[in-house]
Amino acid sequence: MQDHIKIVGMSGSLRKGSFNSALLRLAPQVVPDNAELVLVSLAGIPLYNGDIEDAGMPEPVAEFRAELAAADALLISTPEYNSSVPAVLKNAIDWASRGRDSPLRGMTAALMGGGGGFGSHRSQSHLRDVLRNTGVFELPVPAVKVRNIWDKFDEDLNLLEPRILTQVERLVRSLVSWTLALRYHGR
């Protein structure tokens, strides 16, 4: 279907109790009817090494790249580690960006995340730079930057503030609309 969008969602945190992964898991609740969202884990992707790449893409990398190749857009939830992008997320993007057949080129992406007082603002800024260099068109607004994210979920990672779900919904709907607009304008 021409008006259907497939989104791959990923979290930059591997931690079982990750608030950013909990934030990402809100998105399937608000995906519009003309889109689908597949959540992927970055847990099995090895550290990038050109020698490993030369020997052939490891299976977890090949699977990750196949998911991306079958998608139109990315939804990334990122924490902020030392004022930047978590290594696991940057590593996955590095693997996906390799080669002329990079599945990232021409994709759209939306970012969200949470942290302390800046709500992952700095990591999202750095991630925008990384994504631009891989040929991804990143949605500039709206932004979902959850300040003090640990106060927004309970101990079972259930959302405590409904306004955050509204923000995620606005972000996902904007991503779908923007992806369709770029599709129709020959991105």
Side-chain angles (χ1 to χ4, degrees):
M1 181 191 300
Q2 190 66 5
D3 288 341
H4 187 267
I5 297 296
K6 181 177 179 184
I7 304 167
V8 168
M10 65 184 94
S11 172
S13 176
L14 300 178
R15 191 170 61 85
K16 182 180 175 183
S18 166
F19 296 111
N20 279 277
S21 294
L23 183 64
L24 180 64
R25 287 191 299 271
L26 296 174
Q29 299 174 40
V30 295
V31 173
D33 291 339
N34 63 334
E36 67 177 295
L37 173 63
V38 175
L39 301 181
V40 299
S41 173
L42 306 180
I45 298 174
L47 291 175
Y48 176 76
N49 178 326
D51 294 335
I52 294 173
E53 180 185 15
D54 289 345
M57 290 285 181
E59 189 61 31
V61 174
E63 290 172 5
F64 176 63
R65 288 174 60 100
E67 284 285 356
L68 295 177
D72 303 290
L74 299 170
L75 178 62
I76 302 173
S77 183
T78 182
E80 186 168 293
Y81 295 168
N82 296 316
S83 301
S84 193
V85 180
V88 67
L89 181 56
K90 175 67 167 64
N91 181 63
I93 292 168
D94 288 344
W95 272 112
S97 71
R98 302 298 296 164
R100 292 184 185 156
D101 63 341
S102 168
L104 294 175
R105 279 195 199 101
M107 290 186 84
T108 56
L111 307 181
M112 62 182 179
F118 294 109
S120 81
H121 173 78
R122 293 173 292 204
S123 65
Q124 288 188 39
S125 177
H126 291 180
L127 189 53
R128 280 185 184 87
D129 290 339
V130 171
L131 291 172
R132 258 185 242 115
N133 281 305
T134 65
V136 172
F137 300 104
E138 190 268 325
L139 181 70
V141 290
V144 176
K145 299 174 184 170
V146 182
R147 294 176 180 210
N148 302 319
I149 193 168
W150 47 84
D151 292 335
K152 310 307 189 264
F153 291 89
D154 68 17
E155 62 275 355
D156 295 320
L157 299 176
N158 297 306
L159 184 65
L160 297 172
E161 289 197 24
R163 70 177 178 81
I164 293 172
L165 182 60
T166 302
Q167 292 173 359
V168 171
E169 180 176 21
R170 187 174 44 218
L171 181 70
V172 171
R173 289 185 177 277
S174 295
L175 176 62
V176 170
S177 296
W178 195 53
T179 303
L180 286 171
L182 287 175
R183 178 185 288 170
Y184 293 130
H185 288 58
R187 75 166 191 206

